[in-house]
Amino acid sequence: MQVVLTVIRGKGVGRSFEIAPLQSVVVGRGADADFSFAAHDTHMSRRHFKIDFDGTDVKLVDLGSANRTIVRGSAVRECALADGDVVAAGTTLLRVDFKHSHSDAAIPTYYHMPTVDAQASTPSQGASLLKTVSGGSTRTCIGCGVGYLSQEPVQPSYPLCSYCREEANDHFQPVPGYLFLRMLGRGGAGVVWLGLRESDGKRFAIKALVVGHGTGQTTHVRFRREASVLQDLIHPHIVGFHEMKTIKDEHYLVMEYIPGQDAARLLAAQGPFEIPRAVDLACQLLEALDYAHAKRFVHRDIKPSNLLIVRENGREVVKLADFGLARIVEQLTDHAVTTSNDRAGTPSFIAPEQIRDFRNAKPATDQYAVGATLYNLLTNQYVFRVDGSAFDFCIRVLEEEPVPIRKHRPEISEELAAIIHKALQKDPSRRFRNVVEMRRALSKLEPGLSSVGSTPWKSP
């Protein structure tokens, strides 16, 4: 793995610096800094912060900077960095990226942000949020979480730093009623943006799905029906679905914004999870799936990067993202999730029956993916090797047996290993009867965990 710092805001956007294992890098305004901003940022200290990379963990240390170093919206003296973190130093923002030789992030993207003809489209009212008023005060930007002092602040309800305002102004605003601030990520089913709702400034994650022109009216009707059903999935461990917007042939899903890290990034930054932690998170995930399966919804894409982790009342809480998205994409395309390429879209967590027949995935498919996810979180290894072609991988999933998890991590108990490998059985009938049964088996191992022994959540 390598660590890459990239300037994403401020002068010198696009500059990057690669940090090799066992390297320590100083970032600052001084000419002697390893990554120097001498001609770019006078608000940065000569030696502002350093990053230490020991080959596994990535640590940031502030070097007594005058204007502080900001990570995840808070000033830090020292902290662990995760993949995708943004570091603010002076007026410069740098993104932290972990580069791996093999990862799901390297899988091709099949959907992209739409190309919009700005002159032919009706502009959003998003510009109304960008108006300034007289005076000045210290604020925390709602877009990036960085504190700033401005003589031209935006309306008090919508504090945005100058960089976020400039970035929003640079974007075409395709959805009336929402202001698109910045891209949060890109996945196999679209691009996700951080957006503000104009009526109250509330933040949402907005996923743009693109089908292309010429899509039949029946497909659009099916899409709207599927999207409306998602609004019924109201559960504390499921990312909420707010509404769907369709602009011509472009579809936008407005979802709850979760300001946390996904489990895949935490795994990359911290290494294998402690056993009680992984079991706790898995039990929360199984709660969400029990609720959804009762409503006849199968997720089809359970994996660590779809598990968003936030802290609530001092406890880590799972929020399952992209629920129903695979089903919606299927409705939009009639084929997108059944192509041979897309079978490898999340190769490490796919069940054998998904390879044979994706459309008819049953709840047992999600259970297999939970087992594969728990295997990954505990070992930082995949159930099967992901090298070679997609065809080679499919053969492994269909014919080979998983490497026993205790070979990767001997301290895992035989009881926990048996639960995981039962969920990974190739024949769905040999797995647990349902996710409730799997959760009960896990709860017997860790009865002291706050979520594991709790009564399953019920809709109000």
Side-chain angles (χ1 to χ4, degrees):
M1 183 179 80
Q2 283 190 322
V3 178
V4 181
L5 295 181
T6 304
V7 180
I8 62 172
R9 194 167 299 166
K11 294 182 179 179
V13 168
R15 294 179 64 208
S16 64
F17 191 97
E18 291 192 2
I19 306 174
L22 306 180
Q23 187 176 9
S24 181
V25 170
V26 173
V27 178
R29 181 170 50 86
D32 60 338
D34 299 297
F35 197 12
S36 178
F37 290 79
H40 298 280
D41 190 346
T42 58
H43 296 277
M44 189 182 288
S45 296
R46 293 183 59 82
R47 294 170 59 85
H48 201 100
F49 67 87
K50 71 172 182 174
I51 292 181
D52 296 325
F53 178 32
D54 65 5
T56 302
D57 298 322
V58 184
K59 182 174 70 174
L60 179 146
V61 179
D62 182 82
L63 299 176
S65 63
N67 293 320
R68 304 180 301 172
T69 302
I70 310 296
V71 179
R72 304 181 204 113
S74 300
V76 299
R77 292 185 178 179
E78 182 177 312
C79 74
L81 292 176
D83 187 22
D85 272 346
V86 174
V87 179
T91 59
T92 300
L93 292 186
L94 302 102
R95 187 182 66 241
V96 180
D97 293 306
F98 295 172
K99 294 176 62 177
H100 301 269
S101 56
H102 297 285
S103 80
D104 291 334
I107 296 161
T109 296
Y110 299 100
Y111 294 85
H112 303 279
M113 189 63 188
T115 300
V116 186
D117 183 351
Q119 294 181 344
S121 305
T122 302
S124 164
Q125 301 172 6
S128 64
L129 294 185
L130 303 179
K131 295 178 180 178
T132 60
V133 296
S134 60
S137 60
T138 301
R139 300 182 183 279
T140 298
C141 177
I142 195 173
C144 63
V146 175
Y148 70 99
L149 177 64
S150 175
Q151 296 302 313
E152 292 184 319
V154 292
Q155 298 176 19
S157 298
Y158 310 109
L160 290 173
C161 69
S162 60
Y163 292 114
C164 283
R165 282 185 282 155
E166 290 172 6
E167 195 166 22
N169 277 326
D170 288 340
H171 298 314
F172 178 70
Q173 301 293 335
V175 181
Y178 291 90
L179 176 70
F180 282 41
L181 290 181
R182 58 186 171 87
M183 187 187 297
L184 293 174
R186 183 188 297 271
V191 177
V192 183
W193 293 82
L194 173 63
L196 295 185
R197 185 166 60 190
E198 293 183 0
S199 61
D200 57 6
K202 185 175 180 179
R203 295 186 293 179
F204 287 91
I206 304 175
K207 183 179 284 285
L209 301 175
V210 186
V211 184
H213 298 286
T215 304
Q217 182 62 30
T218 301
T219 298
H220 287 284
V221 171
R222 292 207 312 253
F223 169 77
R224 288 192 289 271
R225 184 190 308 127
E226 292 290 345
S228 67
V229 172
L230 287 180
Q231 291 179 303
D232 293 333
L233 289 177
I234 304 173
H235 190 276
H237 296 308
I238 296 177
V239 174
F241 176 81
H242 178 64
E243 64 175 330
M244 177 271 297
K245 296 281 190 179
T246 300
I247 312 295
K248 296 183 179 179
D249 285 322
E250 295 137 16
H251 303 273
Y252 300 87
L253 304 180
V254 182
M255 300 172 290
E256 177 186 7
Y257 172 63
I258 305 297
Q261 292 278 1
D262 65 64
R265 288 184 172 180
L266 291 174
L267 180 65
Q270 302 170 3
F273 286 22
E274 292 296 324
I275 293 173
R277 181 191 189 192
V279 171
D280 185 19
L281 297 177
C283 285
Q284 295 180 49
L285 170 59
L286 291 165
E287 274 191 43
L289 291 174
D290 175 35
Y291 170 82
H293 291 169
K295 290 181 172 288
R296 304 181 65 83
F297 264 91
V298 178
H299 190 285
R300 308 188 190 193
D301 197 20
I302 300 294
K303 56 185 176 181
S305 60
N306 273 337
L307 306 185
L308 305 182
I309 312 298
V310 295
R311 296 201 70 84
E312 295 181 358
N313 300 319
R315 168 180 173 243
E316 283 191 324
V317 174
V318 167
K319 299 281 188 176
L320 178 57
D322 280 356
F323 217 121
L325 186 59
R327 184 163 159 176
I328 283 180
V329 172
E330 177 186 321
Q331 298 295 337
L332 286 172
T333 64
D334 287 327
H335 62 76
V337 293
T338 58
T339 66
S340 60
N341 281 339
D342 201 67
R343 284 195 186 112
T346 313
S348 311
F349 309 95
I350 192 168
E353 62 269 23
Q354 279 183 286
I355 296 174
R356 299 185 182 97
D357 185 3
F358 190 97
R359 287 185 183 276
N360 294 315
K362 299 296 191 294
T365 297
D366 284 344
Q367 183 189 140
Y368 179 98
V370 174
T373 294
L374 189 51
Y375 188 109
N376 183 230
L377 295 179
L378 287 169
T379 65
N380 207 8
Q381 301 288 331
Y382 297 128
V383 176
F384 297 101
R385 302 191 325 274
V386 295
D387 58 324
S389 68
F391 177 79
D392 291 338
F393 179 81
C394 290
I395 293 299
R396 290 190 199 108
V397 174
L398 291 170
E399 297 182 358
E400 295 182 9
E401 291 300 319
V403 175
I405 192 172
R406 297 184 75 232
K407 285 193 175 181
H408 293 302
R409 191 169 178 181
E411 68 266 31
I412 291 174
S413 68
E414 292 183 358
E415 293 81 4
L416 176 55
I419 291 170
I420 294 171
H421 283 282
K422 183 172 183 176
L424 293 174
Q425 289 291 317
K426 297 188 185 301
D427 181 354
S429 67
R430 300 184 64 185
R431 299 172 198 159
F432 293 97
R433 287 181 298 176
N434 49 49
V435 293
V436 174
E437 188 175 280
M438 182 178 180
R439 184 175 177 276
R440 286 174 180 162
L442 289 172
S443 70
K444 293 176 182 178
L445 301 179
E446 300 289 345
L449 292 175
S450 56
S451 75
V452 173
S454 63
T455 301
W457 183 87
K458 296 181 179 179
S459 177

